[in-house]
Structures are given as structure tokens and as C-alpha cells.
Amino acid sequence: MTRNDTLPLTSMHWGTYRARVSNGRVRDLYAFEADADPSPIGLGILDVQDGPTRIDAPMVRQGWLEGGPGHHTDRRGTDPFVAVSWDEANKLVAGELTRVKSAFGNEAIFGGSYGWASAGRFHHAQSQLHRFLNCIGGYTRSRHTYSFAAAEAMIPHVLGSYRAFLDTCTSWDVIRDSTDLLVCFGGIPLKNGQICQGGTGRHVQREGILAAHMAGVHFVNISPIRSDLLEDVGGEWLPAVPNTDVAILLALAHTLHVEGLSDRAFLDRYTTGFDRFLPYLLGQTDGVPKSADWAAAISEIPAETLRSLARRMAALRTMISVSWSLTRQDHGEQPFWAAITLAAMLGQIGLPGGGFGFGYSATNHIGGQFNVLPGAAFPQARNAVDSFIPVARISDMLLHPGEPFEFDGGCYAYPDIRLVWWAGGNPFHHHQDLNRLVRAWRRPETIIVNEWCWNALAKRADIVLPCTTPLERQDIGLTPRDPYVIAMSKLTEPFGQARDDFEIFSGIAMAMGVEAAFTEGRNAEEWQRRIYEETKERAKAMEIEMPDYAEFRRDGWFRVDRPTEPTIMLREFRADPSAHPLATPSGRIEIFSETVAGFGYDDCLGHPAWMPPFEWLGKADRRFPLHLISNQPATKLHSQLDHGSHSRAAKIEGREPVRIHPHDAAARGLANGEIVRIWNDRGSCLAGIRVDEGIRPGVVQMSTGAWYDPTEPGTPGSLCKQGNPNVLTRDKGTSRLGQGPTAHSCLVQIERLEAPPPPITAHDPPVILRPASSN
């Protein structure tokens, strides 16, 4: 057989693979030779690269085609689709865009199109969509991400930037060599580290954490889920009540101060506002000292355990890791701010192995030791429209056009959206309170989707444009977050009439008379060459060598050389804060922010603070006594490949598993493998029971990613048969500052399903009508 390392390459968010192709189909995917810990997620694409879930031609919802824009929008999700030719699809889309632009202006087009899409530097769906929409006058956009929107708004007020420090967290190599104690708020979940946006060459998280353990680093996992930290490292588990991380962080800070363990010299030189924060910490402003005894009553972690941890943190070289998931709760701005404040009091920020990091193993690149490649991208041109929404306020925008909203110190108004275009994402996966979204989804007159498979979003569109998968197109696996650059091969021909996004938008651009502006006279290969050559020039300026384009394509991949200096977050700032100031108003770490205080928000003060969430175990609710954690799945990326074999193998009778503590299961008479109904006032779904002592009592865990599968599609409140937990979560912003999602503040109840469970239809295509002229 052909040696695997001579087979063509493809790259995805969850890994790089060698592919064996025969008879026009990818038969096998083999781990890339540089990857010692490959993810099995990629194998899930093999059985769904063709078949009934693939969209093989442009499709138009029957009600929209017969009645026009806005016709029977309540039938989205139930109407049959009519297959049409590409010529007809291009004319329909061009005509509808022209109508909306003429009647309502470009502001009425929402093209935020949030989602991870596929790996590949050129065939990046959102970049393609945004460039096209900018060529026709612009669109309403979204700001920030569901992953950590609250931090994206908050941390620039504290550190001057969030992204600059997200990608430069202290490396695992340094932690291995210099850290004594790693305190993990939200754990370090290796399942999340399987993926990295833009592509993954070599998985490093397991290797990094095990090397740190072998070097003697001690781990403390503060999470309601024991498996959020790899069992092999033998870490200490503190099963805190969900959403109480800020109370714990404040108690640790309080102990440091009252016991004289904080580093006053560091606070004076590198921070501002500690003396404005201290009266709150000591209870002088509200009569409530934020002591270990106070936090113990909230978090149910013993007070002496908290005091002992604070003393250990002060005595040892300590790294504080805060999981991205902490931002996705009510008041999600506070945990990262409080963690930075605690790290500043310890005085180890900028030292090898000390300080803080944003989410080790949240993705594969966090803690990597690599040069950040200055990658060029497909240029998106200028958006002439100013209107935007915070990324998680999609339902508010659709339901309340013209109404005001506050965000990061400003006051804005929701635009009146008539047309939504989504490419490379799925709001029926990542958005909260899907029943509310179903109602909101009826408001636009037209919804256009670029999609490769019949997921919940595609079934709820008016016009569906079939796109290719990474297996069906050539691209460059190039990202600033990974040192491997991959020549992605076109392995097979596109399925049916599927086209890549560049070809899709080129055709519509031709119909609208803007083809020259969109393509600039280049084809896909010429654009890829330009992106590579521009990256090569930028890299040269940073003394990073890259091979010529032809050599790169011939060899298939290369690795950017490792940096000669270790990666230590804020090292330069610590060495000389005057020469390397932060981009904050003071140039220092802002424990108290005059800017934030000036906003006058009662839900986000001028300093880190504990504010009880709208739903948590400390709020008595006998109807819904269980706290639901809907975290990232282990068998897929978000909802991508939910229908693939790897994801399906982990389900229970086709339903998403829900983990529950034995005491809570026994109280409800539940046993492993039983199908249950989970519900609250917002919705309900089915799941399969897994009894697990590694879940804190009073908490249940159910991963996101199951395709939304209501018993009555299009009807709000309908039971989700497959188990999408976002029918249960609340659609509320974290605060007026960040307006991020709050999925992790959610209470539910569980009961056995006594009736036979309804059949799952999530992975079934809709009814498709095929006129002879469309073939």
C-alpha cells in the first residue's frame, strides 16, 4: 500500500489528515505524521461526505418561491424545498438583494453570519460573504464571539486588549519549567483542545499538561465537573457551585490582603485602582466583607480550604487559568477581571510560570510555543454600513427593530432587518432560548444560507446555496494560531451541484454587475497564491522564513520555526512598564476602571464584583432544582458533524447524553441509559442518562451540538427530540457592557420519559421537489 506520508493532505479545525481516495470518494483519513495526539472527530466526515444529508442543488422554500419574500415565514422548518438551477438561484438572490437595498437600504441586510465555518485561509465563508456584501454597499454586522463576548468587551478596559493576550498566554514549556501550582477555574478540558480555529497541525494540550505534571506542577480544578481536568495529573478537585467563581476569587484576594500576603510593590508599580477596589473587598462599601467564610456559604467550598489555597498561591509560583466558559454566565465580565486582580495581588504577572492565562486547552493553541505567523487573508473591503449588534443579540434585533440597546458605554438602536444571510455558522446551535429564536426567525422577509448539509439552519432558510466541504476544494491551511502551514488538496469533485463560496458569490456578483469588484479578475488559485505571497513578505519582515509557493505546494507542508525566547505573557510590561505600557488610559492594569465606572451600569461596576446570577443553585426554585452546564462537546466541533459516525456513536438511543450525580439520579429513580425529559419554563428536550460521580450534586451536564429537532418544526415550545440544550438556556446579555451569552446560568428539572420516545428526524432531509428543468 502507498505510504501514508505520500498521500494528499487536508486540514480542518480538529486536525490535519492524509487522505486515501478511490472512485471519487475519500475512503480513509490518516493522522498527519507530525501529530502524536490526533483527534478522532475528523473521521466523522467519511460517512456523510455524500448521501441524503448533502445538499445537491440550489433549493428554494416552496412558500417563498410561490408567494415571494415574507410569505408564510411561519412555515420555515416545515415547507418543502424546490430544486432550481444555479442561473435561477443567482437571479433570485440578486433580485432580492436589489429589492431590499432599494426599499430599505443596506442596513436592512444582516450578514453577521457568526460561526467557525471550515478551515482554509481563502475559502473562509464569512470573509467571502462579507467581501461580497461590501461590494454591493455593506451590511449590518455583529461584534465579538459567543465563546467569550463578555471578555472581549471587558478586558480591553483592564489590559488594553483581549486578543493580544489570548494568543500569547505563557507557554506550557514555561509552565513545566517554572510553575509550582496551576489553579484552574473551569478546569483545563482536553476535549476542547482538540480544535483550533483555522486548522490544527499538531495537538499539544495533552503533551503540555502531562509534561507539567511529570515536572511536579500541582493542579487544582475548581469546577462542578471533575473531568474538566485530566485524571492522569491527579489534581485536587474543588466542586464549586456553578457561577460562584467570582466569589471564590474575591475570597482568595481577601485572604491575601488581611493576612499580609499581597504584593503591594507590584500593585503600586503595575496597576491602578486597587485602593478604589479595596473598600468593596473589605466590605466597607456594602457591609459584606468578601471573606473566605462569606464565599464558603456561596460556593460550598469550605472556608479553610479557600484560606489554605490562598496561602499556597502566595507561597508558590502560581498560574491562574480561567476557562472561556466562565464568561458565558450572567455577569460573565467579572470572572476574568477578578482573576487578573488576584494575580496582580500575588505579584507574579510577567514572571516565568506565574500570572494568569485565558483558557488553557480552550483550543489547541493556548499555551503553544510558536511564532505568530502574520497571515494575510482574503480582503473584505470596506463596510459602508455602521449598524451592528453584539453577537448574541440576534433575537432581540429581529424581535425589536428600532428599540435601543446599550453596549460597552454606548447607546444604539436595533436595525430593521429584512434579509438575513448566513454562511459558515448555525444559530440554531449556538444561540440561547431556541424557542425565542424560532419566533424571531419569522420576522425577516428572506433568509439565505450557504450550507453543505441539511442541518437545522438550512431547513429554516428560504434560499439554500449548496457549498463544498474542505475535501472538495484546494486551499491553504494557514493560521496565526498554529505553526504548521498545510497545502490542502482538492481530494474529490464537489457533491452534486455544490460550489465553493467564492464561486457562489462570483456568480451572484456577475448577476448584480459587481463581479470585477468581487474577484478583481483573479480565480481561486490566483487568490491563494496572492495570500501566500503576501504572508511570506510579512513573515520576512519578522525574520520568519517561508518556502516559495511552488515548493510549498510540492512538499505539502512546512513548520514555522519555534521562537528563540520562551513565551511569557506580559514579560516586557513587567520588565519596564514605562517602555512597554498597556493600551489602557493609565498604561497599567486597571483594577478599578474610571471608564467603566463612568458608564453608570448597575450590572457592571468600576471594579470586579460578585453579583448573584439570575439563575443558580443559591436561588431557591423547587420546580427547577438542577443547574445545567451545557459545555462544548467531545465528539464534534460545536454542531459540525453531529450526523457523523463519531458523534452518533456517543449518543444514547440517538439522544445526547446528560450526566447526573448518583444521588440526584436515585432521587428521581433514574438509571443509566434511560431516556429522560429535561425542562424548564423556556423549553424541553430529551436526553439519555449517564450516572457519573464526577458531577457535583445538584448539577447536570449536557453538551451542546445536537442538531435542533423539534417534534413540531416551526412551532415555538416544541420538544427537541435529539437533545439540544439551548431550548433550555435563557437569551439574556451578561450585562449592559458586554451583552454576551449567558448559557451557563440555567436551572432545569429532569424526569423519566414514560412514553416511547418519538423518532429522531434531525438528520433527515426535508421534502424536496425536483422540477425537470432544475436537473
Side-chain angles (χ1 to χ4, degrees), residues 160-284:
S161 173
Y162 175 60
R163 292 281 182 173
F165 302 111
L166 179 69
D167 294 340
T168 56
C169 287
T170 297
S171 70
W172 277 115
D173 290 354
V174 174
I175 290 172
R176 176 198 63 206
D177 295 339
S178 304
T179 301
D180 298 311
L181 178 63
L182 208 168
V183 181
C184 321
F185 286 87
I188 300 179
L190 287 186
K191 62 180 177 60
N192 296 4
Q194 295 179 92
I195 55 94
C196 187
Q197 191 169 28
T200 298
R202 181 174 181 270
H203 290 87
V204 301
Q205 293 298 321
R206 186 184 306 274
E207 175 185 327
I209 194 171
L210 286 175
H213 166 62
M214 293 300 293
V217 177
H218 184 74
F219 293 80
V220 178
N221 175 27
I222 302 176
S223 168
I225 302 171
R226 183 163 56 195
S227 62
D228 275 345
L229 183 67
L230 183 67
E231 184 178 357
D232 294 354
V233 305
E236 179 183 356
W237 181 34
L238 301 183
V241 170
N243 291 193
T244 64
D245 308 270
V246 172
I248 294 171
L249 287 158
L250 292 173
L252 296 172
H254 183 276
T255 300
L256 293 180
H257 180 77
V258 299
E259 296 191 6
L261 300 174
S262 62
D263 188 333
R264 188 70 212 202
F266 183 93
L267 292 169
D268 289 344
R269 186 180 187 196
Y270 298 99
T271 77
T272 186
F274 179 74
D275 289 335
R276 302 281 299 276
F277 163 70
L278 187 58
Y280 168 79
L281 185 68
L282 298 178
Q284 296 170 358

Side-chain angles (χ1 to χ4, degrees), residues 23-93:
N23 297 324
R25 197 175 192 275
V26 178
R27 302 294 173 176
D28 291 295
L29 291 174
Y30 303 100
F32 178 44
E33 55 267 26
D35 193 357
D37 186 26
S39 169
I41 291 176
L43 303 179
I45 199 171
L46 292 176
D47 62 319
V48 294
Q49 59 187 296
D50 50 24
T53 56
R54 282 301 302 265
I55 305 169
D56 64 354
M59 301 282 176
V60 183
R61 184 173 66 84
Q62 186 180 39
W64 192 95
L65 188 63
E66 294 176 350
H71 189 67
H72 283 310
T73 59
D74 58 322
R75 293 183 185 172
R76 288 177 181 141
T78 62
D79 249 356
F81 281 84
V82 181
V84 300
S85 68
W86 273 109
D87 284 345
E88 184 174 358
N90 290 342
K91 291 176 184 176
L92 288 172
V93 172

